[in-house]
Amino acid sequence: NAVQATFAPLVFALNTLPGILVYAFLVTMLWSVGINGDNAMDAVVAPIFFQYLGANVEAMTHGQPLPYITANGFFSTFVNVGGTGATLGLALVLWNSKEPGFRKVSRLSLPTQIFQINEPIFFGIPIVLNPIFMIPYVLNALLLTTCTYMLMYWNVIQRPFVNVPWTTPPIIGNYLVTGGDWRAAVWGAASILIAMLIYYPFAKVAERQRLAAEVAGTAKE
């Protein structure tokens, strides 16, 4: 309740790019310090996102242009690729990591991330309170929010108007939430690649640090 009361005034104009970027930043920053950002902000934003979705459904029913970009499904489907912070990209990057712990966490977490549940990798790596991974974690959310918003603003991909469960796998969810727009599915696949590219250099830095620490620990023994 305290978190919601504190950040509610910062949630503004959620159908604008600046507004949704502030929301994305708050969600990922809260997660980065160990607070469930999605749940903390949900009481503030969920009614607004569902209101946008209802308006889009009404417009689609009457054959009119969809008025809202950030309707329910925009953030949960297009930004949270494999979970908040697009951590599916990190799991794929670490799949063959030289560091055994990273490799094991990646492979164990991948099945859950297919269904948008990323707590295993978030707390297993960890990302929380980890400066190396916090940066790409937030950056991914901001970049995917911006790119998706602009693609919908330019009508390259359809805006959300179908309510699908947040656990729907990436790419499939992109296709369904836009009513079967194949271009949205293609963008979903591209989003995974973008997330991997952003996580890659940070993952390699963390990997080198972990391996060096293990070597130093072995030498002391």
Side-chain angles (χ1 to χ4, degrees), residues 56-108:
N56 281 0
V57 171
E58 183 72 15
M60 177 61 67
T61 302
H62 292 88
Q64 300 171 350
L66 307 190
Y68 293 106
I69 294 174
T70 60
N72 188 64
F74 172 90
F75 198 82
S76 60
T77 302
F78 287 92
V79 181
N80 291 355
V81 183
T84 309
T87 51
L88 180 59
L90 179 59
L92 293 172
V93 166
L94 295 177
W95 179 261
N96 286 318
S97 174
K98 297 177 182 178
E99 205 288 308
F102 283 170
R103 188 169 61 247
K104 182 178 291 186
V105 171
S106 166
R107 295 181 180 187
L108 289 174

Side-chain angles (χ1 to χ4, degrees), residues 11-216:
V11 178
F12 65 96
L14 286 171
N15 196 51
T16 67
L17 183 57
I20 197 65
L21 282 174
V22 169
Y23 169 71
F25 179 77
L26 291 176
V27 168
T28 48
M29 282 304 299
L30 287 171
W31 268 112
S32 296
V33 296
I35 299 172
N36 189 318
D38 294 279
N39 286 349
M41 302 300 295
D42 197 50
V44 179
V45 303
I48 300 172
F49 288 154
F50 276 109
Q51 178 183 343
Y52 292 166
L53 183 68
N56 281 0
V57 171
E58 183 72 15
M60 177 61 67
T61 302
H62 292 88
Q64 300 171 350
L66 307 190
Y68 293 106
I69 294 174
T70 60
N72 188 64
F74 172 90
F75 198 82
S76 60
T77 302
F78 287 92
V79 181
N80 291 355
V81 183
T84 309
T87 51
L88 180 59
L90 179 59
L92 293 172
V93 166
L94 295 177
W95 179 261
N96 286 318
S97 174
K98 297 177 182 178
E99 205 288 308
F102 283 170
R103 188 169 61 247
K104 182 178 291 186
V105 171
S106 166
R107 295 181 180 187
L108 289 174
S109 70
L110 193 59
T112 66
Q113 289 195 87
I114 292 174
F115 298 99
Q116 307 283 69
I117 299 168
N118 67 346
E119 279 80 358
I121 197 169
F122 185 79
F123 294 105
I125 291 297
I127 295 172
V128 60
L129 298 178
N130 185 334
I132 294 176
F133 285 113
M134 286 168 61
I135 295 172
Y137 182 77
V138 175
L139 185 59
N140 259 315
L142 297 179
L143 182 61
L144 292 180
T145 296
T146 301
C147 293
T148 303
Y149 188 97
M150 297 311 299
L151 287 172
M152 291 183 178
Y153 180 80
W154 291 325
N155 295 315
V156 176
I157 59 179
Q158 181 64 279
R159 301 177 183 189
F161 69 95
V162 179
N163 187 27
V164 300
W166 64 269
T167 51
T168 305
I171 303 177
I172 297 174
N174 298 57
Y175 180 80
L176 295 177
V177 80
T178 55
D181 185 354
W182 65 268
R183 296 168 300 177
V186 172
W187 172 239
S191 298
I192 297 173
L193 296 177
I194 291 171
M196 292 176 66
L197 288 173
I198 293 176
Y199 275 117
Y200 183 82
F202 295 92
K204 290 303 176 182
V205 169
E207 183 182 81
R208 286 194 295 269
Q209 288 185 357
R210 183 74 69 89
L211 290 171
E214 290 173 357
V215 170

